[in-house]
Every structure is written in C-alpha cells, then in structure tokens.
Amino acid sequence: GMGDGDATTAPDAVPEGATPFRVPEGATSIEVPKAFSALKVVPKEGEANDANFPPHLHAAVELFCFAKMPECAKKLATAVNAYLAILSAGPDGKGTNGMGQAAVCWECGHCGLPGNQDECGKGKDAKCGNCGSSAQTNMVKVTQPDGTVVPWIEPKQAPAGKAEEAAAAADALS
C-alpha cells in the first residue's frame, strides 16, 4: 500500500520475469526482503544506468535465481544472514575476523570482506574473499534508514574451503 516508503522502489526491485526469492524455511527469523534491501550494491563506472543492475542484495539474490545460479543465490543469502545474525546479536568482537566494507562476487555468489581491502580504498576492484576473482565484483554499502553507514562484520572463518562448516556453525548459533 501507499505510505510504507517502498512505493518508489518496488517496480524495479525484481528483474522482469524473475520469481521473488523464497528463503528456505527456518533459515532466518529476520524479514529478508527489508533487511536485504538495506544492503546496497555500489555500481562501478558505467553500471549505474544499466537496467539490469541489482540495486541491493535482495535483487542480487533474485538475479542469481533468475540466472539459474541457485548455488550462488544460496551462498549470498547465507553470507547476508550470517551478517544480519551478528548485527542482531550485537557484535562482541570475539567471533569475528574484522570489519570493513564488503564486496559481492557475481561469479561465486560470496559476499564479504575483500581479499584486498586496503587496495579497495584506493579505487581498485575488490578481490573476492572466497574465490579470489576480481573480474565481477561490486562493493556493498550497508545503510540504516537514517543514512548511517553500518560496517560489514564477518564471522570468523576457517581456512578456505571450510566456509560451509562455518556457515553451519553460524546456523547452529542463530
């Protein structure tokens, strides 16, 4: 309805012909659409006017589903849910491996702190913290309704390849 603040963004939120993303039951108690929409994808030069550019991570998950990349959609949703769980629990600084600005990788679906965080500040493309590619990445900006930027906080992860186990552990905690 009107007055819920979403009227202006609704039409372009879902790529044409895409099915809205359904999060598996019990994956999270957080209302996914609203929370995921707060995680904006920062366009690189020349991308902002692309009609297919996903403006936020809710659209990104849908885009992966639409592109028949369910594994990527799942990986992205898992990463975002883990982050939202940390936020809702209140970060204690113990179980996290740092904070900063995350990047989403369109090749593997991972969203998290880039492998080359220092260089990102100097305008370099982010290197995916999961697959190491910087070919198709975008920075992610998390903002609260009042415009405050929220840093990305990442759960401590075991060495590469153990991400699934870390995600399972994170699930057990939520």
Side-chain angles (χ1 to χ4, degrees):
M2 297 301 287
D4 58 3
D6 291 343
T8 48
T9 54
D12 53 6
V14 182
E16 203 170 320
T19 358
F21 179 62
R22 299 266 174 271
V23 171
E25 233 172 89
T28 175
S29 57
I30 295 162
E31 190 189 340
V32 170
K34 278 250 188 309
F36 277 47
S37 302
L39 285 76
K40 309 289 182 208
V41 181
V42 182
K44 287 196 264 219
E45 215 170 303
E47 289 179 334
N49 302 324
D50 182 346
N52 296 320
F53 186 81
H56 47 64
L57 292 186
H58 184 249
V61 172
E62 291 180 335
L63 195 66
F64 278 133
C65 291
F66 183 58
K68 306 275 188 291
M69 295 164 77
E71 288 311 308
C72 291
K74 210 176 291 170
K75 186 175 283 207
L76 179 56
T78 302
V80 176
N81 284 330
Y83 167 65
L84 294 174
I86 291 176
L87 287 189
S88 64
D92 60 3
K94 290 191 197 81
T96 58
N97 73 352
M99 55 205 300
Q101 190 176 7
V104 59
C105 176
W106 303 108
E107 294 193 336
C108 77
H110 179 72
C111 183
L113 300 174
N116 59 342
Q117 229 178 323
D118 303 339
E119 293 167 25
C120 291
K122 304 183 182 107
K124 275 254 171 59
D125 285 348
K127 183 185 263 182
C128 175
N130 178 61
C131 73
S133 171
S134 56
Q136 295 185 40
T137 56
N138 284 93
M139 297 307 286
V140 172
K141 188 175 175 186
V142 187
T143 47
Q144 292 179 312
D146 65 2
T148 317
V149 173
V150 185
W152 180 272
I153 307 164
E154 210 159 75
K156 259 206 181 26
Q157 295 224 328
K162 296 268 196 313
E164 281 78 9
E165 290 167 38
D171 273 358
L173 294 172
S174 56

